[in-house]
């Protein structure tokens, strides 16, 4: 059969138009790509703005009206209360570092120590803040796995400190225990606190930030995943959908009598 008997290949301009289904698939992929890019940025700005306005609402009433920026400007300055709070806390830390400030703090702690209910709350919160914001604190730096809530099911926990001597002596068995915090999804600030035998914990090479991200996403975002690779994958999906809709008709050989 001679190749001249074959029907001519239609030019690119005569290709059939893309189907509506392929067009909607590309729109969906483009939308998801934009959502992945803009979503974290929007939520971050929203939480930052909420925190700034929350601090402003608390600090602004404490500032005399003569010293407020809106008294001299036709509009208010967001974050002015945050700046005042930062300066006040820094000044408080500076005063506490010297002898006079330390004496005033001790006097305030003695007064709070004589109040039955307030005393327990203040001491507990003080120990938590000192542990979290100390540079050498080791709490929640390690991540592990424990078999919970039933055999064969494993949960991520944040490893804290060993129990005190009183609690350690009350725990059954001779094995060393350690305190852990099991965050709940999707809000890792809530969860369960319990003591586990040290041999029952499997240490994993993961940071606390990656563990929190894994829990908040309910396992969708795995540690080590690259967001840029996900965006590139979505872009490739969109290109593949567009290429699939541009199908060149198959060349059918001419019938030879």
């Amino acid at each position: 059969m001679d190749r001249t008997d074959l029907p001519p290949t239609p030019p690119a301009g005569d290709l059939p138009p893309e189907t509506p289904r392929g067009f909607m698939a590309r729109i969906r992929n483009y939308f998801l790509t934009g959502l992945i890019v803009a979503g974290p940025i929007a939520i971050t700005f929203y939480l930052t703005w909420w925190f700034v306005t929350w601090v402003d609402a608390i600090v602004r009433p404490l500032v005399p009206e003569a010293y407020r920026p809106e008294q001299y400007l036709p509009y208010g300055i967001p974050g002015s209360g945050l700046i005042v709070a930062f300066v006040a806390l820094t000044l408080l830390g500076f005063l506490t570092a010297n002898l006079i400030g330390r004496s005033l703090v001790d006097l305030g702690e003695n007064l709070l120590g004589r109040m039955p209910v307030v005393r327990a709350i203040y001491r507990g919160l003080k120990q938590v803040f000192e542990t979290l914001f100390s540079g050498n604190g080791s709490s929640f730096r390690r991540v592990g796995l424990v078999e919970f809530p039933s055999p064969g099911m494993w949960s991520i926990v944040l490893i804290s400190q060993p129990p005190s001597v009183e609690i350690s002596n009350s725990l059954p068995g001779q094995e060393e225990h350690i305190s852990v915090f099991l965050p709940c999804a999707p809000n890792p600030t809530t969860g369960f606190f319990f003591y586990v035998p040290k041999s029952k914990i499997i240490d994993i090479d993961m940071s606390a930030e990656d563990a929190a991200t894994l829990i908040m996403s309910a396992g969708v975002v795995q540690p080590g995943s690259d967001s840029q690779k996900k965006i590139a994958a979505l872009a490739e999906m969109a290109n593949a959908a567009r290429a699939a809709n541009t199908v060149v008709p198959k060349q059918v050989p001419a019938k030879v009598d």
Side-chain angles (χ1 to χ4, degrees), residues 103-122:
S103 301
L104 294 176
V105 172
D106 292 340
L107 178 61
E109 290 183 346
N110 291 332
L111 292 176
L112 293 175
R114 298 179 180 180
M115 302 178 183
V117 178
V118 179
R119 174 180 57 193
I121 298 175
Y122 172 74

Side-chain angles (χ1 to χ4, degrees), residues 89-111:
L89 292 175
T90 305
L91 182 61
L92 178 62
F94 171 75
L95 295 177
T96 306
N98 55 52
L99 181 60
I100 299 177
R102 183 69 253 177
S103 301
L104 294 176
V105 172
D106 292 340
L107 178 61
E109 290 183 346
N110 291 332
L111 292 176

Side-chain angles (χ1 to χ4, degrees), residues 49-64 68 70 77-86 88-89:
W49 180 260
W50 170 84
F51 177 75
V52 170
T53 53
W54 176 70
V55 175
D56 285 348
I58 295 176
V59 178
R60 193 181 299 273
L62 304 178
V63 179
R68 297 179 185 177
E70 57 267 20
I77 300 179
S80 59
L82 184 62
I83 296 175
V84 173
F86 174 78
L89 292 175

Side-chain angles (χ1 to χ4, degrees), residues 93-172:
F94 171 75
L95 295 177
T96 306
N98 55 52
L99 181 60
I100 299 177
R102 183 69 253 177
S103 301
L104 294 176
V105 172
D106 292 340
L107 178 61
E109 290 183 346
N110 291 332
L111 292 176
L112 293 175
R114 298 179 180 180
M115 302 178 183
V117 178
V118 179
R119 174 180 57 193
I121 298 175
Y122 172 74
R123 289 180 178 176
L125 291 177
K126 182 182 178 182
Q127 293 178 359
V128 170
F129 273 74
E130 288 179 348
T131 303
L132 291 178
F133 293 100
S134 61
N136 54 359
S138 58
S139 298
F140 298 155
R141 296 291 192 274
R142 297 164 51 200
V143 181
L145 293 172
V146 296
E147 201 169 12
F148 181 86
S150 62
M153 301 178 64
W154 296 87
S155 300
I156 293 180
V157 295
L158 302 177
I159 302 174
S160 185
Q161 300 290 341
S164 61
V165 178
E166 294 79 4
I167 297 179
S168 180
N169 294 334
S170 301
L171 292 173

Side-chain angles (χ1 to χ4, degrees), residues 183-229:
C184 291
N187 183 11
T189 59
T190 62
F192 303 94
F193 171 80
F194 46 85
Y195 296 101
V196 184
K198 196 172 183 179
S199 61
K200 302 296 183 181
I201 302 176
I202 300 177
D203 285 275
I204 55 178
D205 186 13
M206 181 189 298
S207 64
E209 292 78 9
D210 290 341
T213 303
L214 178 64
I215 294 169
M216 285 189 294
S217 65
V220 175
V221 179
Q222 295 292 328
S225 59
D226 191 355
S227 60
Q228 296 298 328
K229 292 182 179 179

